Amino acid sequence: MTKTAAEIQKIFSDNQKDLAFIIGNGINLSFQDDNISWNDLLLNLWKTHADEPMTEIPDGISFVEFYDALGLQNVTTSGFSTQLQKDVKAKMLDWQPDDAQNLVLDKIKSYNAPILTTNFDDLIPKSMKLSPYRIPDTSFTDHYPWSTHYAEKELKSPLHGFAVWYMNGMVKYHRSIKLGLSEYMGNVERARKMINTNYGHENPEVENPWLTNNTWIDIIFNKSLCIFGLSLDETEVFFRWLLIQRAKFFKRFPKYSHKGWYIMKKEDENPKIVGKKFFLKSVGIEVIEVEDYPVLYNDIWK
């Protein structure tokens, strides 16, 4: 059964002190008719760098695997992986935001809630005129700029206000852009070390056992997540893995658990939805369906 915009707005208002929003490329596809999709971007890269012609990504291979297949064709070319990252950055630098999306973004800002995005582009910061910052006293690497974010002012913690954080890399640092399965595994390994050491308090009845590391990963484990504009299919290897780790943490320390919702347009004819719903239920995320995209990207944000 679908939910109305008013019902979803009530969820937001009831939980507004504990919200974080996860936004995928759906916001670009909804508000940016001239911006290419990840599918088009990958095919464009293939046309530029591969000998074999390809007009569409075939069924049975994920986007991340397709990206790695391109890399394998050029594995002996020195610096090719970095060149691909530079190409992705170059294609996105000229993208300009449609300020109509601020209907969504301003509402999120009114909750003082953080945004995490799986996108690389800087369209959200551009449309909201946000500046780049890094959490004070944190280390920096342009491969994993996980303490870097866009905001109106400097934050002392990722949990302390509205900002835009990048989960898979940001166009500002081309070496941070993660598109291939091998690169996602690098993300997993880095995150695993943080997660495995974040059980530092011996008495969880007194204090949250999660030790903050001042990266966006703190948001995943310490906020209720509202996910939309993200297909969250098998391609999202890294984020799905994080949701599994989050669910494990909450089962171990239920006192410190948080909620989660995945908002999507109803798709009765898509057989893959069954498996996605099963996965999301398993990790404690409630699936909320709406009748159409205008509800998802317009009505619930008014």
Side-chain angles (χ1 to χ4, degrees):
M1 184 176 179
T2 60
K3 286 190 180 295
T4 65
E7 289 173 318
I8 298 172
Q9 288 168 345
K10 187 175 189 307
I11 292 173
F12 293 168
S13 62
D14 288 348
N15 297 274
Q16 66 180 45
K17 293 183 179 180
D18 185 44
L19 280 177
F21 291 83
I22 316 289
I23 303 178
N25 198 43
I27 194 169
N28 288 345
L29 297 177
S30 179
F31 291 102
Q32 296 288 120
D33 292 339
D34 56 334
N35 281 345
I36 59 176
S37 65
W38 299 134
N39 182 88
D40 294 337
L41 186 148
L42 289 170
L43 285 173
N44 192 291
L45 290 174
W46 185 276
K47 181 180 179 180
T48 303
H49 295 289
D51 295 329
E52 178 185 356
M54 185 78 70
T55 58
E56 62 181 16
I57 298 176
D59 291 336
I61 186 170
S62 69
F63 286 172
V64 292
E65 292 165 339
F66 185 81
Y67 180 86
D68 280 332
L70 177 58
L72 285 171
Q73 291 205 17
N74 297 271
V75 71
T76 59
T77 302
S78 177
F80 181 73
S81 179
T82 300
Q83 183 58 52
L84 279 181
Q85 292 169 317
K86 289 181 177 178
D87 287 353
V88 173
K89 176 176 181 174
K91 292 179 185 303
M92 293 185 175
L93 278 179
D94 293 334
W95 287 8
Q96 294 300 319
D98 182 340
D99 289 343
Q101 69 179 345
N102 283 13
L103 173 70
V104 175
L105 304 175
D106 287 342
K107 175 60 73 172
I108 294 174
K109 180 185 172 184
S110 74
Y111 297 133
N112 202 29
I115 292 174
L116 288 82
T117 181
T118 56
N119 300 340
F120 311 119
D121 62 70
D122 56 1
L123 293 177
I124 294 176
K126 280 181 178 176
S127 65
M128 303 198 77
K129 298 178 174 56
L130 305 177
S131 300
Y133 293 96
R134 191 167 82 242
I135 298 295
D137 303 319
T138 56
S139 59
F140 175 78
T141 166
D142 66 334
H143 285 279
Y144 301 98
W146 290 1
S147 292
T148 301
H149 55 282
Y150 286 88
E152 292 182 323
K153 60 183 179 180
E154 180 180 277
L155 300 180
K156 298 293 175 58
S157 162
L159 305 176
H160 289 171
F162 172 77
V164 182
W165 301 82
Y166 287 83
M167 299 170 63
N168 293 333
M170 54 200 308
V171 70
K172 181 178 175 65
Y173 303 110
H174 70 268
R175 293 199 298 181
S176 73
I177 294 173
K178 306 297 190 292
L179 266 169
L181 184 59
S182 300
E183 294 164 345
Y184 277 155
M185 291 303 98
N187 276 357
V188 167
E189 282 306 305
R190 187 172 184 85
R192 187 194 303 277
K193 293 175 183 177
M194 294 181 181
I195 294 168
N196 286 349
T197 58
N198 277 350
Y199 299 95
H201 300 307
E202 295 181 357
N203 189 354
E205 292 303 315
V206 176
E207 193 169 7
N208 188 341
W210 181 266
L211 291 176
T212 57
N213 50 58
N214 282 325
T215 72
W216 58 261
I217 290 179
D218 291 337
I219 298 170
I220 298 289
F221 288 81
N222 290 277
K223 292 284 188 180
S224 292
L225 306 179
C226 176
I227 308 164
F228 70 98
L230 179 63
S231 64
L232 205 51
D233 57 21
E234 302 90 330
T235 297
E236 294 293 341
V237 176
F238 180 39
F239 184 37
R240 285 171 72 128
W241 178 82
L242 282 172
L243 290 177
I244 293 170
Q245 306 313 308
R246 179 181 189 261
K248 287 180 179 178
F249 181 80
F250 292 167
K251 285 184 178 296
R252 184 174 178 182
F253 305 107
K255 179 180 177 180
Y256 301 100
S257 63
H258 296 266
K259 302 173 185 176
W261 309 270
Y262 177 73
I263 306 177
M264 58 171 283
K265 177 183 175 294
K266 189 176 181 181
E267 296 182 38
D268 292 333
E269 304 303 319
N270 187 344
K272 291 186 176 182
I273 295 300
V274 176
K276 184 189 298 187
K277 287 181 177 179
F278 174 80
F279 170 77
L280 290 169
K281 181 180 179 181
S282 299
V283 296
I285 304 294
E286 177 187 351
V287 175
I288 296 176
E289 294 178 294
V290 297
E291 284 294 343
D292 51 36
Y293 288 118
V295 176
L296 180 54
Y297 290 107
N298 188 278
D299 297 354
I300 66 176
W301 308 102
K302 291 181 176 179

